[in-house]
Amino acid sequence: MRGVCSRAPFRNRESSVNHVVLGSVCSMALLAVATLGGCGAGKSQEGNPTMDPPAGGGPSSACSALEPIPSRLWRLSTTQFSNSVRDLLGLTTAPTVDDTGGSAEYAFFTDAAAGVNDTLAFGLYEAVRSALDEVRPRLAELAACSAGAAEQECAESFARTFGERAFRRTLEPSEVSALLDVYAEGRKQDFDMGIESMIEALLQSPSFVYRSELGTPGARESELSPFEVATQLAYLFLDSSPDAELMGVAADGCLSTPEGITAEVDRLLSM
């Protein structure tokens, strides 16, 4: 994570994949303007929005405020879930989830109303268990205990740091406490099982399976929190959880400004 807000260098985007993503983003932006209204968007004789200039020549007559997207909890697609598990645990391949539990009409998005049925819940459980089987030999590496640290101290540090990455936000003290209760049950076998139990709990928690777009309490209706902005950017450009850089600039408040968001879009497009 970087400790200060700074504009990421803009590098040449040679990857055809990035050009496809950029094209898709532009297309979605144009579609949003045509659908919701905005400067320069007119209407056809049938009353449908078009990108043609409005009659009379002046674009100002067609300017209208865009309606804010309502607050929501948005379930990850199965691909996003698998990619996130892969990146959080440092796996070479993403685990497979067979059941979608709901399909999406558009690329990059899961159905906003999609839930988790019994079949999908079992599929997510199996995917997490498969990932843990692969990562089990290096649980001590994941825990990243400082030299000489007591096991309880190490477990609490892991709960905070890995929990923040999994939930894509800072954990509440009550959430850390609940994770340590899970650790304590696993620790009855050994330390590694305590760490594994926390990972299993985190990766099947609603706070991992669902993205929040609830905004910052007391802010404007359409204003997302910096961590929610980081999550939006990550799943749009990476189709996975926010990386360390995104989490860092979110924690520093850099994603509260258009300049900070622009810098991260440039960086993600250059990857």
Side-chain angles (χ1 to χ4, degrees):
M1 297 183 183
R2 60 187 181 189
V4 295
C5 301
S6 61
R7 183 175 178 82
F10 191 90
R11 300 191 293 272
N12 290 332
R13 298 189 286 271
E14 299 177 352
S15 168
S16 60
V17 173
N18 286 332
H19 282 92
V20 170
V21 171
L22 180 59
S24 299
V25 173
C26 293
S27 297
M28 287 188 286
L30 291 173
L31 177 63
V33 171
T35 303
L36 300 176
C39 297
K43 289 189 176 182
S44 67
Q45 292 181 347
E46 293 78 16
N48 298 319
T50 74
M51 290 306 294
D52 298 327
S60 59
S61 61
C63 292
S64 59
L66 300 179
E67 290 296 324
I69 296 174
S71 299
R72 60 182 174 176
L73 294 174
W74 200 3
R75 202 207 75 203
L76 300 182
S77 70
T78 52
T79 299
Q80 291 168 342
F81 177 90
S82 297
N83 289 347
S84 298
V85 171
R86 176 200 64 202
D87 294 342
L88 286 169
L89 297 180
L91 306 177
T92 55
T93 58
T96 301
V97 181
D98 293 328
D99 187 84
T100 62
S103 58
E105 184 177 357
Y106 303 108
F108 302 108
F109 296 96
T110 185
D111 185 348
V116 179
N117 56 28
D118 290 343
T119 305
L120 178 59
F122 184 68
L124 300 182
Y125 165 78
E126 286 194 312
V128 171
R129 292 306 307 171
S130 173
L132 287 172
D133 287 343
E134 183 176 342
V135 81
R136 191 168 292 118
R138 53 185 185 87
L139 281 172
E141 176 187 340
L142 274 177
C145 297
S146 302
E151 286 186 351
Q152 186 68 22
E153 178 186 351
C154 181
E156 182 171 349
S157 175
F158 179 80
R160 293 182 186 279
T161 56
F162 190 85
E164 178 179 290
R165 293 174 59 208
F167 285 4
R168 303 173 289 272
R169 58 171 173 77
T170 304
L171 268 62
E172 299 291 338
S174 60
E175 293 172 319
V176 175
S177 178
L179 283 171
L180 291 176
D181 288 342
V182 173
Y183 162 78
E185 287 299 313
R187 180 61 186 86
K188 292 176 181 179
Q189 177 173 323
D190 57 33
F191 176 76
D192 282 1
M193 180 53 68
I195 297 295
E196 179 176 329
S197 298
M198 284 197 287
I199 295 174
E200 184 173 359
L202 283 163
L203 299 187
Q204 294 178 86
S205 167
S207 292
F208 175 71
V209 178
Y210 283 84
R211 297 163 51 178
S212 72
E213 293 183 356
L214 303 177
T216 302
R220 298 191 307 272
E221 181 180 5
S222 58
E223 186 175 344
L224 298 180
S225 72
F227 284 109
E228 289 172 335
V229 173
T231 298
Q232 273 199 342
L233 293 176
Y235 284 109
L236 176 61
F237 292 104
L238 306 177
D239 215 23
S240 185
S241 292
D243 60 10
E245 183 94 358
L246 268 172
M247 292 296 289
V249 293
D252 293 336
C254 301
L255 295 182
S256 299
T257 66
E259 295 79 11
I261 294 172
T262 298
E264 283 307 297
V265 169
D266 286 349
R267 181 182 71 84
L268 293 168
L269 283 172
S270 70
M271 292 175 66

